[in-house]
């Protein structure tokens, strides 16, 4: 099913996605996102072309490139990088800290907790 423009009352099909970076007072208008995001606004061609931002805000328009699809080499490189980072952490030793207490990893990043396959990390240098 195709997505519709987020503007109230507009029946047009979405061709672009608008997101805001509030910290930088910036509106970013780019190609239609792969899926509907809660903090993005899908716009039809007319509303995307006529977009304006409040005074003091900057609008960045990103053009869709013809070869926007990542190639297999890019995806494999990304997967390898994620795997490498995942393997670089020290494994918890037997008899390590009790469940629920923070565990420090070799890089200085502290593991605060786990839920299923997700891990909450804190970087003390940030």
């Amino acid at each position: 099913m195709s997505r519709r423009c987020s503007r109230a009352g507009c029946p047009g099909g979405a061709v672009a996605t608008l997101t805001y970076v509030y910290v930088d007072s910036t509106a970013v208008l780019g190609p239609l996102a792969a899926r509907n995001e809660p903090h993005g606004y899908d716009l039809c061609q007319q509303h995307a072309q006529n977009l304006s931002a409040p005074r003091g805000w900057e609008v960045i328009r990103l053009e869709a490139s013809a070869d926007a699809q990542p190639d297999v080499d890019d995806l494999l490189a990304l997967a390898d990088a994620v795997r490498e980072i995942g393997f670089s952490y020290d494994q918890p030793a037997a008899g390590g800290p009790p469940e629920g207490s923070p565990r420090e990893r070799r890089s200085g990043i502290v593991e605060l907790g786990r839920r299923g396959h997700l891990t909450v990390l804190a970087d003390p240098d940030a």
Side-chain angles (χ1 to χ4, degrees):
M1 182 173 168
S2 65
R3 298 190 327 234
R4 295 278 167 210
C5 183
S6 297
R7 296 290 299 259
C10 180
V15 298
T17 299
L18 172 66
T19 55
Y20 294 102
V21 182
Y22 294 100
V23 173
D24 298 328
S25 299
T26 303
V28 181
L29 182 67
L32 187 62
R35 55 179 188 224
N36 195 6
E37 298 291 335
H39 300 290
Y41 301 92
D42 296 335
L43 299 177
C44 65
Q45 186 68 34
Q46 179 184 357
H47 286 121
Q49 287 176 343
N50 297 332
L51 176 73
S52 63
R55 187 179 311 228
W57 280 59
E58 179 182 5
V59 176
I60 297 176
R61 295 177 187 268
L62 303 173
E63 299 298 323
S65 63
D67 59 346
Q69 298 297 325
D71 67 15
V72 176
D73 291 338
D74 290 342
L75 294 175
L76 290 174
L78 179 60
D80 289 341
V82 169
R83 253 186 247 114
E84 183 179 322
I85 295 298
F87 291 142
S88 70
Y89 292 123
D90 287 335
Q91 297 299 320
E99 185 66 31
S101 66
R103 293 186 291 211
E104 185 162 341
R105 297 175 182 255
R106 180 177 39 182
S107 64
I109 295 176
V110 177
E111 181 180 315
L112 299 177
R114 288 179 178 247
R115 182 176 223 169
H117 68 282
L118 303 174
T119 304
V120 178
L121 303 175
D123 186 355
D125 298 331

